[in-house]
Structures are given as structure tokens and as C-alpha cells.
């Protein structure tokens, strides 16, 4: 079974803090994705990566950055957290560009 | 660019009744279509997908969806729902071209099954 794990299920941070969200997949997938999910807005793509050290902006990259130093790990970074970044963050991975995306359980981030 | 419209944000239905969750998409290119399900406090799971071939696709738990190119729709149906089907359902679309990594999601439909 494909497994996508995220470092925390719940996280509470203060405004201005630097926040790291970690995602690890165990199936040697090439592609990894970060989404945020908000009520009534569905899922919106923040960033994705199709190879180590490669990244592409999604629909809402402002205020975020990413890092992919190893194939299995994709990190989302909030350089200076703000209250409007309070959300559910979902990581996903896929084997190839045409393949199914597998999702992690999500991290619910609250910024106070 | 693609967009997805899920016409109903919430659908309450009695147990053992049929249900249809509607999804329409807009795209200037050929697309693949997906339905994902999210149970409470969990990530998304793929329910079914249309890539090519038969326009009617089925899942293992009794859901089916039909790709209608002329109406740009991919509605999800189940003839008899169970309490365990209570979840949020997301329709998604992706282009078929090489390098089409991005899934575009609808805003979701919350299905509530009433005993």
C-alpha cells in the first residue's frame, strides 16, 4: 500500500513564526504536491514537485515555499505565518504525471 | 485552464435512497476526470476515475459515474446509500497532455446519510 505521511495532524503556531510541514511517501513516487483545503473552497494547489530539487508554483504560492532535497520528502515552509494561513494542509504524491494522486491524512494548522 | 463546478455544497439523503452528486467541468483541452472521497478527519481517497474507454465507470463500493462529453459532466451516482457513505466528495479534472500534473478540484459536496 502506498503510504503518505505528514509530520503532524494538528499544529498551533503564532503569527510571525516560521513553520515547517513535512510530508514523506514510501513508494518512490516522482511527483509530490501540497494543497490547502478550506471550507467552501475545496482544495487549492500551493506547490508541486516533479523531481528532486524541482518545484513549480500552483495556484496560491504566495506566502509559501517548498523544499525537496530527497525524493521521498517534500516540505512546505511558511516563512512568517499569518492568521489567514490557518487551514488544513494536504500532501499528495503520484508515480507519474498521468497517475493517481495519493493523499496524506492532512495537517490542521492554526495560526494565532 | 480547467475549472470544476459541483452544483450542490450539501446533499442530505435518507439511508437506502438513491443519490446523485453533480459535477460539471470546463476545459479547452481533453481531460481525465476523478471523484475523491474524504471521510471525517481523513485525507482524500480516490473513488473512481475516467481516463478513456467506457464512459461509465464504477467503484468497488457501489458508486458509478458517467462521463458526458457533450454536457461536460461527470455526475456521481449510487442507487442505495449507506450510513457509511457520509463524507465529502470532490470532483477533479486534469488535462491529458504530457506534463499535465495539476488536478483542479471542485469545492466539494457534503453527503449526509440520514438513518
Amino acid at each position: 500500500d502506498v503510504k503518505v505521511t505528514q509530520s503532524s495532524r494538528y499544529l498551533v503556531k503564532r503569527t510571525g513564526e516560521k513553520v515547517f510541514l513535512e510530508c514523506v511517501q514510501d513508494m518512490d513516487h516522482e511527483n509530490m504536491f501540497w494543497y490547502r483545503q478550506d471550507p467552501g473552497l475545496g482544495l487549492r494547489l500551493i506547490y508541486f514537485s516533479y523531481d528532486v530539487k524541482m518545484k513549480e508554483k500552483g495556484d496560491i504560492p504566495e506566502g509559501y515555499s517548498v523544499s525537496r532535497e530527497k525524493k521521498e520528502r517534500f516540505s512546505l515552509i511558511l516563512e512568517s505565518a499569518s492568521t489567514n494561513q490557518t487551514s488544513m494542509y494536504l500532501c499528495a504524491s503520484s508515480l507519474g504525471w498521468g497517475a493517481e494522486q495519493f493523499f496524506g491524512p492532512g495537517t490542521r494548522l492554526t495560526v494565532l | 485552464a480547467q475549472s470544476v463546478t459541483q452544483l450542490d455544497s450539501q446533499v442530505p439523503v435518507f439511508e437506502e435512497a438513491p443519490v446523485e452528486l453533480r459535477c460539471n467541468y470546463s476545459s479547452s483541452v481533453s481531460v481525465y476526470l476523478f471523484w475523491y472521497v474524504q471521510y471525517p478527519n481523513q485525507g482524500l481517497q480516490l473513488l473512481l476515475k475516467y481516463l478513456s474507454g467506457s464512459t461509465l465507470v464504477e467503484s468497488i463500493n457501489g458508486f458509478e459515474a458517467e462521463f458526458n462529453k457533450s454536457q461536460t459532466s461527470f455526475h456521481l451516482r449510487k442507487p442505495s446509500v449507506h450510513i457509511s457513505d457520509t463524507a465529502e466528495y470532490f470532483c477533479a479534472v486534469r488535462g491529458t497532455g504530457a506534463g499535465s500534473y495539476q488536478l483542479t478540484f471542485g469545492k466539494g459536496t457534503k453527503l449526509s446519510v440520514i438513518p
Side-chain angles (χ1 to χ4, degrees):
Chain A
D1 267 1
V2 176
K3 195 164 185 184
V4 180
T5 56
Q6 295 183 230
S7 52
S8 306
R9 289 302 303 272
Y10 300 93
L11 208 53
V12 180
K13 295 292 181 181
R14 296 206 176 274
T15 302
E17 281 192 78
K18 190 169 185 175
V19 182
F20 292 87
L21 302 183
E22 303 286 340
C23 176
V24 177
Q25 49 92 5
D26 66 358
M27 286 300 291
D28 202 34
H29 283 177
E30 297 159 357
N31 306 317
M32 297 188 74
F33 308 81
W34 275 107
Y35 296 89
R36 66 176 280 176
Q37 181 181 12
D38 299 289
L41 296 179
L43 276 77
R44 294 177 291 168
L45 183 65
I46 305 172
Y47 268 97
F48 68 95
S49 168
Y50 52 89
D51 202 350
V52 175
K53 297 190 185 295
M54 305 303 290
K55 60 186 179 184
E56 292 284 344
K57 292 180 180 179
D59 297 321
I60 52 165
E62 297 79 18
Y64 304 94
S65 62
V66 291
S67 173
R68 192 162 181 206
E69 297 296 320
K70 294 184 178 181
K71 192 174 186 179
E72 67 271 17
R73 187 179 297 270
F74 192 36
S75 303
L76 180 69
I77 303 157
L78 287 66
E79 294 290 341
S80 178
S82 63
T83 54
N84 63 12
Q85 292 178 310
T86 291
S87 187
M88 170 71 86
Y89 290 88
L90 291 167
C91 176
S93 71
S94 69
L95 180 58
W97 62 265
E100 171 188 352
Q101 290 187 20
F102 293 86
F103 284 81
T107 295
R108 188 170 292 282
L109 172 67
T110 301
V111 182
L112 301 175
Chain B
Q2 294 99 32
S3 67
V4 177
T5 302
Q6 291 184 243
L7 296 161
D8 305 295
S9 59
Q10 298 190 50
V11 173
V13 63
F14 286 104
E15 193 174 14
E16 298 184 4
V19 70
E20 178 179 79
L21 307 183
R22 296 179 291 169
C23 172
N24 287 89
Y25 69 93
S26 171
S27 177
S28 57
V29 298
S30 297
V31 296
Y32 296 137
L33 293 153
F34 306 82
W35 276 99
Y36 281 83
V37 59
Q38 185 179 34
Y39 298 104
N41 298 313
Q42 294 185 28
L44 273 69
Q45 303 172 32
L46 182 67
L47 188 60
L48 47 75
K49 60 186 176 185
Y50 171 78
L51 303 182
S52 64
S54 173
T55 57
L56 183 66
V57 290
E58 297 177 354
S59 72
I60 58 173
N61 57 354
F63 282 94
E64 64 178 32
E66 186 160 19
F67 170 50
N68 188 319
K69 189 174 182 179
S70 63
Q71 296 186 5
T72 60
S73 68
F74 192 54
H75 300 330
L76 182 69
R77 301 183 183 95
K78 189 170 185 180
S80 175
V81 295
H82 302 288
I83 295 290
S84 59
D85 294 324
T86 293
E88 190 160 17
Y89 293 79
F90 293 92
C91 182
V93 64
R94 186 180 68 223
T96 62
S100 294
Y101 299 97
Q102 185 166 341
L103 272 176
T104 300
F105 286 86
K107 295 182 179 180
T109 298
K110 287 188 177 177
L111 173 64
S112 298
V113 180
I114 304 162

